[in-house]
Short mmCIF file of all heavy atoms in Angstrom, two decimals:
data_model
loop_
_atom_site.label_atom_id
_atom_site.label_comp_id
_atom_site.label_asym_id
_atom_site.label_seq_id
_atom_site.Cartn_x
_atom_site.Cartn_y
_atom_site.Cartn_z
N LEU A 160 -62.95 -32.46 -47.98
CA LEU A 160 -63.96 -31.95 -48.90
C LEU A 160 -63.39 -30.71 -49.72
O LEU A 160 -63.43 -30.77 -51.07
CB LEU A 160 -65.19 -31.53 -48.43
CG LEU A 160 -66.44 -31.20 -49.29
CD1 LEU A 160 -66.79 -32.34 -50.13
CD2 LEU A 160 -67.55 -30.68 -48.42
N LEU A 161 -62.71 -29.87 -49.05
CA LEU A 161 -62.07 -28.65 -49.71
C LEU A 161 -60.97 -29.10 -50.66
O LEU A 161 -60.81 -28.65 -51.78
CB LEU A 161 -61.49 -27.79 -48.67
CG LEU A 161 -60.79 -26.61 -49.12
CD1 LEU A 161 -61.72 -25.58 -49.96
CD2 LEU A 161 -60.24 -25.75 -47.95
N ASP A 162 -60.16 -30.08 -50.14
CA ASP A 162 -59.12 -30.73 -50.97
C ASP A 162 -59.52 -31.29 -52.36
O ASP A 162 -59.11 -31.18 -53.38
CB ASP A 162 -58.23 -31.57 -50.24
CG ASP A 162 -57.06 -32.10 -51.05
OD1 ASP A 162 -56.09 -31.40 -51.35
OD2 ASP A 162 -57.07 -33.41 -51.26
N VAL A 163 -60.64 -31.97 -52.14
CA VAL A 163 -61.31 -32.78 -53.29
C VAL A 163 -61.75 -31.76 -54.33
O VAL A 163 -61.53 -31.93 -55.50
CB VAL A 163 -62.49 -33.75 -52.82
CG1 VAL A 163 -63.17 -34.25 -54.00
CG2 VAL A 163 -61.81 -34.89 -52.05
N ASN A 164 -62.49 -30.78 -53.82
CA ASN A 164 -63.11 -29.74 -54.59
C ASN A 164 -61.88 -28.94 -55.37
O ASN A 164 -62.12 -28.57 -56.49
CB ASN A 164 -63.94 -28.73 -53.87
CG ASN A 164 -65.25 -29.53 -53.37
OD1 ASN A 164 -65.63 -30.35 -54.05
ND2 ASN A 164 -65.87 -28.91 -52.31
N SER A 165 -60.89 -28.68 -54.54
CA SER A 165 -59.74 -27.88 -55.12
C SER A 165 -59.05 -28.75 -56.26
O SER A 165 -58.68 -28.22 -57.26
CB SER A 165 -58.69 -27.63 -54.05
OG SER A 165 -57.53 -27.04 -54.54
N THR A 166 -58.88 -30.08 -55.97
CA THR A 166 -58.39 -30.95 -56.98
C THR A 166 -59.27 -30.96 -58.26
O THR A 166 -58.76 -30.91 -59.40
CB THR A 166 -58.18 -32.42 -56.43
OG1 THR A 166 -57.25 -32.32 -55.35
CG2 THR A 166 -57.51 -33.24 -57.51
N LYS A 167 -60.54 -31.11 -58.05
CA LYS A 167 -61.45 -31.10 -59.17
C LYS A 167 -61.31 -29.75 -59.98
O LYS A 167 -61.37 -29.74 -61.20
CB LYS A 167 -62.91 -31.41 -58.68
CG LYS A 167 -63.15 -32.82 -58.25
CD LYS A 167 -64.63 -32.98 -57.88
CE LYS A 167 -64.88 -34.33 -57.27
NZ LYS A 167 -66.30 -34.52 -56.92
N SER A 168 -61.26 -28.69 -59.22
CA SER A 168 -61.11 -27.36 -59.89
C SER A 168 -59.83 -27.23 -60.72
O SER A 168 -59.97 -26.84 -61.83
CB SER A 168 -61.15 -26.27 -58.78
OG SER A 168 -61.07 -24.99 -59.49
N VAL A 169 -58.76 -27.76 -60.21
CA VAL A 169 -57.50 -27.74 -60.83
C VAL A 169 -57.60 -28.57 -62.24
O VAL A 169 -57.12 -28.16 -63.23
CB VAL A 169 -56.40 -28.18 -59.98
CG1 VAL A 169 -55.09 -28.39 -60.87
CG2 VAL A 169 -56.18 -27.12 -58.86
N VAL A 170 -58.12 -29.65 -62.05
CA VAL A 170 -58.25 -30.65 -63.26
C VAL A 170 -59.20 -30.09 -64.33
O VAL A 170 -58.88 -30.11 -65.61
CB VAL A 170 -58.88 -32.04 -62.76
CG1 VAL A 170 -59.08 -32.86 -63.94
CG2 VAL A 170 -57.79 -32.71 -61.89
N ALA A 171 -60.22 -29.44 -63.91
CA ALA A 171 -61.18 -28.76 -64.77
C ALA A 171 -60.54 -27.68 -65.41
O ALA A 171 -60.73 -27.41 -66.66
CB ALA A 171 -62.49 -28.29 -64.09
N SER A 172 -59.78 -26.83 -64.73
CA SER A 172 -59.12 -25.65 -65.32
C SER A 172 -58.13 -26.11 -66.29
O SER A 172 -58.00 -25.48 -67.42
CB SER A 172 -58.45 -24.81 -64.19
OG SER A 172 -57.74 -23.80 -64.70
N ARG A 173 -57.32 -27.15 -66.01
CA ARG A 173 -56.29 -27.57 -66.93
C ARG A 173 -56.91 -28.17 -68.24
O ARG A 173 -56.46 -28.01 -69.32
CB ARG A 173 -55.39 -28.66 -66.30
CG ARG A 173 -54.35 -29.32 -67.24
CD ARG A 173 -53.46 -30.18 -66.44
NE ARG A 173 -52.79 -29.46 -65.25
CZ ARG A 173 -51.95 -30.01 -64.40
NH1 ARG A 173 -51.82 -31.47 -64.48
NH2 ARG A 173 -51.34 -29.38 -63.55
N ASN A 174 -58.03 -28.94 -68.00
CA ASN A 174 -58.72 -29.52 -69.09
C ASN A 174 -59.30 -28.41 -70.01
O ASN A 174 -59.26 -28.52 -71.20
CB ASN A 174 -59.94 -30.43 -68.66
CG ASN A 174 -60.69 -31.13 -69.78
OD1 ASN A 174 -59.97 -31.89 -70.49
ND2 ASN A 174 -61.96 -30.94 -69.94
N GLN A 175 -59.81 -27.34 -69.35
CA GLN A 175 -60.36 -26.24 -70.17
C GLN A 175 -59.23 -25.65 -71.05
O GLN A 175 -59.43 -25.24 -72.24
CB GLN A 175 -60.95 -25.23 -69.24
CG GLN A 175 -61.44 -23.85 -69.97
CD GLN A 175 -62.79 -24.10 -70.65
OE1 GLN A 175 -63.50 -24.94 -70.29
NE2 GLN A 175 -62.92 -23.22 -71.53
N MET A 176 -58.06 -25.37 -70.34
CA MET A 176 -56.87 -24.79 -71.02
C MET A 176 -56.41 -25.73 -72.10
O MET A 176 -56.24 -25.08 -73.32
CB MET A 176 -55.80 -24.55 -70.04
CG MET A 176 -54.66 -23.84 -70.65
SD MET A 176 -53.17 -23.64 -69.39
CE MET A 176 -54.02 -22.63 -68.17
N CYS A 177 -56.31 -26.91 -71.97
CA CYS A 177 -55.99 -27.88 -73.07
C CYS A 177 -56.96 -27.86 -74.20
O CYS A 177 -56.46 -27.90 -75.39
CB CYS A 177 -55.93 -29.31 -72.49
SG CYS A 177 -54.49 -29.66 -71.30
N TRP A 178 -58.16 -27.77 -73.83
CA TRP A 178 -59.20 -27.78 -75.01
C TRP A 178 -59.10 -26.61 -75.81
O TRP A 178 -59.20 -26.55 -77.00
CB TRP A 178 -60.60 -27.96 -74.38
CG TRP A 178 -61.77 -27.85 -75.32
CD1 TRP A 178 -62.36 -26.69 -75.71
CD2 TRP A 178 -62.34 -29.01 -76.00
NE1 TRP A 178 -63.37 -27.12 -76.70
CE2 TRP A 178 -63.33 -28.44 -76.80
CE3 TRP A 178 -61.97 -30.36 -75.92
CZ2 TRP A 178 -64.11 -29.26 -77.65
CZ3 TRP A 178 -62.81 -31.16 -76.86
CH2 TRP A 178 -63.85 -30.61 -77.63
N GLU A 179 -59.01 -25.35 -75.05
CA GLU A 179 -58.81 -24.13 -75.77
C GLU A 179 -57.58 -24.08 -76.62
O GLU A 179 -57.66 -23.61 -77.77
CB GLU A 179 -58.90 -22.95 -74.85
CG GLU A 179 -60.20 -22.78 -74.10
CD GLU A 179 -60.19 -21.64 -72.99
OE1 GLU A 179 -59.12 -21.18 -72.76
OE2 GLU A 179 -61.21 -21.37 -72.43
N ASN A 180 -56.56 -24.55 -76.13
CA ASN A 180 -55.26 -24.50 -76.88
C ASN A 180 -55.37 -25.44 -78.08
O ASN A 180 -54.78 -25.12 -79.17
CB ASN A 180 -54.05 -24.96 -76.06
CG ASN A 180 -53.72 -23.81 -74.93
OD1 ASN A 180 -53.93 -22.69 -75.29
ND2 ASN A 180 -53.11 -24.21 -74.02
N LEU A 181 -56.03 -26.53 -77.91
CA LEU A 181 -56.17 -27.50 -79.05
C LEU A 181 -57.11 -26.89 -80.06
O LEU A 181 -56.78 -27.06 -81.37
CB LEU A 181 -56.75 -28.86 -78.64
CG LEU A 181 -56.94 -29.91 -79.64
CD1 LEU A 181 -55.67 -30.30 -80.44
CD2 LEU A 181 -57.63 -31.21 -78.95
N GLN A 182 -58.13 -26.31 -79.70
CA GLN A 182 -59.03 -25.63 -80.63
C GLN A 182 -58.34 -24.65 -81.50
O GLN A 182 -58.51 -24.45 -82.61
CB GLN A 182 -60.22 -25.05 -79.86
CG GLN A 182 -61.17 -26.09 -79.32
CD GLN A 182 -62.14 -26.65 -80.48
OE1 GLN A 182 -61.75 -27.71 -81.17
NE2 GLN A 182 -63.21 -26.15 -80.61
N GLN A 183 -57.54 -23.84 -80.67
CA GLN A 183 -56.83 -22.69 -81.33
C GLN A 183 -55.80 -23.22 -82.35
O GLN A 183 -55.71 -22.74 -83.51
CB GLN A 183 -56.10 -21.85 -80.32
CG GLN A 183 -55.39 -20.62 -80.88
CD GLN A 183 -54.62 -19.86 -79.87
OE1 GLN A 183 -54.64 -20.18 -78.68
NE2 GLN A 183 -53.99 -18.71 -80.29
#
């Protein structure tokens, strides 16, 4: 469960970074 949550967190963080860089 911790690994799944960690993976989701990494994916969400990367998606957030991509979105912000694209917006900028």
Side-chain angles (χ1 to χ4, degrees):
L160 186 63
L161 180 63
D162 182 65
V163 170
N164 290 335
S165 176
T166 302
K167 289 182 179 180
S168 177
V169 170
V170 172
S172 177
R173 180 175 297 175
N174 185 61
Q175 176 74 24
M176 185 182 300
C177 291
W178 178 270
E179 291 176 355
N180 287 338
L181 178 58
Q182 287 286 86
Q183 183 181 3

